[in-house]
Amino acid sequence: MSTATRTFTRALRTSARPAFTAAPRAAFRQGGRRYYSSEPAAKQSSSTWLWVAGAAAVGGGGWFFLNNQGSATPKVFTPKFEDYQAVYNEIANRLEENDEYDDGSYGPVLVRLAWHASGTYDAATGTGGSNGATMRFAPESDHGANAGLKAARDFLEPVKKKFPWITYSDLWILAGVCSIQEMLGPKIPFRAGRQDKDVAACTPDGRLPDAAQAQDHLRNIFYRMGFNDQEIVALAGAHALGRCHSNRSGYEGPWTFSPTVLTNDFYKLLLDEKWQWKKWNGPKQYEDKKTKSLMMLPADMALVEDKKFKNWVKEYAADNDLFFKDFSAVVTKLFELGVPFKEGTEKWVFKTVNA
């Protein structure tokens, strides 16, 4: 799809959202393709400081840096809110730097990275979850459910290089928070303090949802993490974002007409459209009968086939504010599963950049 067409369709599709929310984003996009430049590199001198991981030295809460001339006195750096906001801003300003990537935004794939990094949690054993960023390693990076997420991890490498003090574990979740907010979603509170782990902490395959399965499978997967039926349906609303790729998951197409804007359209479309099996050589998936341009997965359709799930689908389809409130709460819970935050760790809400 051309840049002009994409700009027009996004503006059109956000018109259903409250004007005070959609207008700034629509206006910001009127120029079509956007370009960004990095901050100018800091001038180097003989007193250049070298960043060194200092988790052990400062109780896991900071970094220290050493003078490359051999200074024996390390300076401790403990990141504050404004430091994490700077990381947020860096990500936000790059989300749409590549107009040819998917629908023009890395936001959806970054949400998926944060989701899949967190969704491996097992409450019974206390293993998995966002504390570790173990998808950096095989075999977890090669799990079928994580296909295509290398694009998200690679996107964040320059950010990690620019802000070496942030752990991959916090960076991935912060990227998910940033993407949700910048795609006109609700505010998502963030707490820092995740620590990276090595390959030994990789989780076994099969902990993430299988799109080909139905309601029993969904309950087994999400109950294992500590979620209830309402929370399962609220989390599913993230399918308003992004699309499937036949060369990754095997499935193909977007769930909604506005895959870079978070709305309750996923629920509306589930209820209002007529869905039929797609006739193709790929795995079983649904397509909308009217345009044949949208898709639903078997696991999505399970939400309207199950009476308890369907009640919540109806609630969220009828009330976008309720969806935003519940989605913010449940995605925050997901992103924090299994993280041993220090007592008194603050929850921060970041200021949006382009939304």
Side-chain angles (χ1 to χ4, degrees):
M1 182 182 292
S2 68
T3 301
T5 302
R6 185 182 295 121
T7 302
F8 172 75
T9 53
R10 286 187 193 170
L12 179 64
R13 289 165 187 163
T14 57
S15 63
R17 298 290 301 279
F20 70 88
T21 303
R25 180 77 174 270
F28 192 82
R29 287 172 163 175
Q30 288 304 309
R33 182 191 292 267
R34 292 181 290 151
Y35 298 89
Y36 299 94
S37 58
S38 301
E39 295 179 13
K43 293 182 179 179
Q44 295 186 349
S45 67
S46 60
S47 61
T48 300
W49 295 94
L50 305 177
W51 290 98
V52 182
V58 295
W63 276 60
F64 62 86
F65 45 105
L66 304 174
N67 188 295
N68 69 353
Q69 298 301 304
S71 173
T73 305
K75 292 187 177 182
V76 176
F77 170 71
T78 301
K80 300 178 181 178
F81 170 77
E82 52 266 31
D83 299 303
Y84 287 95
Q85 179 72 61
V87 179
Y88 178 106
N89 295 351
E90 179 75 10
I91 297 168
N93 283 328
R94 290 188 53 222
L95 286 179
E96 298 184 3
E97 68 179 8
N98 182 359
D99 190 64
E100 301 307 315
Y101 182 80
D102 269 5
D103 297 283
S105 172
Y106 281 93
V109 76
L110 293 176
V111 173
R112 183 167 167 249
L113 174 65
W115 205 117
H116 284 216
S118 306
T120 57
Y121 182 68
D122 179 73
T125 62
T127 58
S130 66
N131 192 50
T134 50
M135 202 193 305
R136 289 171 292 142
F137 310 108
E140 190 171 335
S141 61
D142 297 328
H143 291 171
N146 293 329
L149 289 178
K150 185 177 184 298
R153 299 192 300 270
D154 288 350
F155 172 88
L156 291 172
E157 279 302 318
V159 183
K160 173 65 173 171
K161 186 176 181 180
K162 186 171 182 177
F163 303 94
W165 50 265
I166 191 170
T167 63
Y168 279 102
S169 303
D170 271 343
L171 176 61
W172 291 1
I173 298 304
L174 178 52
V177 168
C178 172
S179 297
I180 291 168
Q181 293 191 171
E182 295 299 315
M183 291 188 289
L184 300 183
K187 297 290 188 179
I188 309 295
F190 173 85
R191 282 197 289 179
R194 297 166 184 80
Q195 297 299 315
D196 295 337
K197 299 179 181 179
D198 62 22
V199 66
C202 283
T203 55
D205 200 0
R207 287 196 176 183
L208 293 167
D210 181 346
Q213 302 300 315
Q215 50 265 47
D216 289 346
H217 169 78
L218 291 177
R219 287 193 170 97
N220 288 336
I221 291 291
F222 286 95
Y223 285 7
R224 184 203 73 223
M225 290 186 269
F227 293 111
N228 59 33
D229 286 358
Q230 171 265 318
E231 292 171 318
I232 293 172
V233 178
L235 276 175
H239 277 179
L241 300 171
R243 61 173 58 238
C244 289
H245 305 77
S246 58
N247 62 346
R248 297 179 186 177
S249 64
Y251 301 99
E252 183 65 38
W255 286 269
T256 72
F257 291 112
S258 53
T260 61
V261 178
L262 183 60
T263 67
N264 62 344
D265 283 354
F266 171 73
Y267 306 107
K268 291 181 177 180
L269 291 165
L270 264 178
L271 294 173
D272 297 342
E273 294 298 318
K274 294 186 182 299
W275 299 93
Q276 62 188 16
W277 288 111
K278 180 180 178 68
K279 295 179 181 179
W280 73 321
N281 293 325
K284 286 188 174 183
Q285 69 176 68
Y286 293 87
E287 64 181 6
D288 69 301
K289 191 173 182 179
K290 186 185 300 180
T291 71
K292 295 183 173 59
S293 62
L294 300 179
M295 62 145 300
M296 288 288 170
L297 302 167
D300 297 321
M301 297 305 294
L303 300 180
V304 290
E305 293 168 351
D306 183 277
K307 291 182 179 180
K308 292 182 179 179
F309 284 155
K310 188 174 183 179
N311 286 336
W312 285 106
V313 172
K314 290 179 178 178
E315 291 280 342
Y316 296 139
D319 190 338
N320 191 73
D321 289 340
L322 175 63
F323 164 55
F324 269 24
K325 178 180 73 70
D326 287 356
F327 180 78
S328 177
V330 73
V331 83
T332 300
K333 176 179 176 178
L334 172 69
F335 289 168
E336 295 189 349
L337 290 175
V339 183
F341 294 109
K342 290 183 178 180
E343 186 176 352
T345 300
E346 291 183 76
K347 283 193 175 185
W348 295 322
V349 175
F350 298 109
K351 297 177 182 178
T352 55
V353 175
N354 299 320

